[in-house]
Amino acid sequence: MSDYELYYWSVPFRGQFVRAVLAYADKSWTEGGDAAISKLMEGPVKDLPIPFMGPPMLIDKKADFAIAQTPAILLYLGETLNLIPATPALRALTMKIVNDANDVIDDITLDGGREMWTEKTWRNFVPRLKKWMSFWEETGRRHGLKENAGFLLGGQTPGIADIVTATLWSTMTERFSEIETMFNETAPLTTSLTRRIANLPPLAKLATKARRNYGDSYCGGQIEASLRKVLNT
């Protein structure tokens, strides 16, 4: 029996953070698929494992515990899998990184497709995206991150902040070469960290699986089509 059950759409978007943490921790999980998610969401709230508006939603089978909302899921996994720092300050910074990552993918999809990208709106957004990238760069610099060594918040081993960082930026830059170039130039230390973490065997295996299962898909739908159009991919 698997350790967890994950409900998330068949794309490597927000739910990929959860998949990456589980993979890194060598945990097994199953996914019900899009039809199961839709059926669950259409049913009465009283029948939900936990009230949630949309995925991801995770069930820890051994603990008989369900949790939704990406930051809450990652906090729970960080706590239970010993992947979050011990000090209050670094724990808070970890969750700040998680929420920043969540905000970046909201930004890159214009709040989940509230409107579509145009050349003008993308051009106006580029400075904001670069500013986001600089947040990671400065955070790492303040905690001793070097080109070929160190982690985003210091320490001796990767934690939730590093896994989320690598998943956010590697998934995005692998699918959009213009963003990759921007990232390499704006945040070289974070680029190096992302590559080191993404190349760890469990995360590299997960990325290969995502390519096999989802192809070039990122977030899906019309919003991805508009993003690809302005980026000429």
Side-chain angles (χ1 to χ4, degrees):
M1 183 180 77
S2 63
D3 300 311
Y4 301 86
E5 187 171 4
L6 174 64
Y7 287 81
Y8 193 68
W9 307 116
S10 300
V11 289
F13 193 49
R14 204 184 307 269
Q16 200 70 4
F17 297 142
V18 182
R19 294 176 180 129
V21 172
L22 294 175
Y24 177 80
D26 195 26
K27 296 298 180 179
S28 61
W29 73 96
T30 55
E31 299 192 30
D34 295 359
I37 296 170
S38 297
K39 182 178 180 180
L40 200 60
M41 290 169 60
E42 291 166 2
V45 173
K46 66 181 180 64
D47 292 340
L48 297 175
I50 185 172
F52 75 105
M53 189 63 72
M57 189 267 288
L58 183 73
I59 300 173
D60 182 336
K61 294 182 178 181
K62 184 176 180 179
D64 191 23
F65 175 73
I67 186 67
Q69 293 284 9
T70 306
I73 295 172
L74 295 175
L75 175 61
Y76 176 74
L77 291 176
E79 295 276 9
T80 56
L81 300 176
N82 196 29
L83 292 172
I84 197 166
T87 68
L90 290 179
R91 291 158 78 87
L93 278 173
T94 295
M95 295 316 299
K96 191 263 188 188
I97 294 299
V98 168
N99 281 280
D100 280 353
N102 222 23
D103 285 349
V104 168
I105 60 178
D106 280 343
D107 271 6
I108 204 76
T109 56
L110 292 171
D111 295 330
R114 172 178 44 82
E115 57 183 291
M116 299 297 112
W117 287 109
T118 66
E119 290 186 10
K120 181 180 179 180
T121 57
W122 176 257
R123 187 167 58 250
N124 292 339
F125 172 67
V126 165
R128 180 178 174 89
L129 181 56
K130 289 182 177 180
K131 187 172 183 178
W132 273 125
M133 294 172 177
S134 74
F135 288 0
W136 266 265
E137 193 75 352
E138 180 61 16
T139 299
R141 187 192 65 78
R142 293 184 186 188
H143 292 87
L145 182 64
K146 305 298 182 184
E147 183 176 353
N148 295 308
F151 301 103
L152 192 69
L153 299 179
Q156 301 300 312
T157 58
I160 291 290
D162 304 289
I163 298 166
V164 167
T165 295
T167 304
L168 170 70
W169 296 115
S170 66
T171 304
M172 189 184 303
T173 57
E174 285 171 6
R175 286 159 177 79
F176 303 103
S177 59
E178 183 175 317
I179 297 178
E180 179 182 25
T181 299
M182 190 188 311
F183 184 53
N184 293 346
E185 294 172 351
T186 305
L189 295 179
T190 318
T191 295
S192 176
L193 172 67
T194 294
R195 288 174 179 160
R196 283 192 284 118
I197 301 299
N199 284 334
L200 293 173
L203 298 186
K205 182 178 178 180
L206 180 68
T208 298
K209 182 180 179 181
R211 280 291 190 182
R212 183 174 65 247
N213 291 347
Y214 316 130
D216 289 334
S217 293
Y218 178 59
C219 56
Q222 292 180 330
I223 185 60
E224 178 172 338
S226 73
L227 182 59
R228 291 190 177 282
K229 184 175 181 181
V230 297
L231 293 175
N232 298 313
T233 62

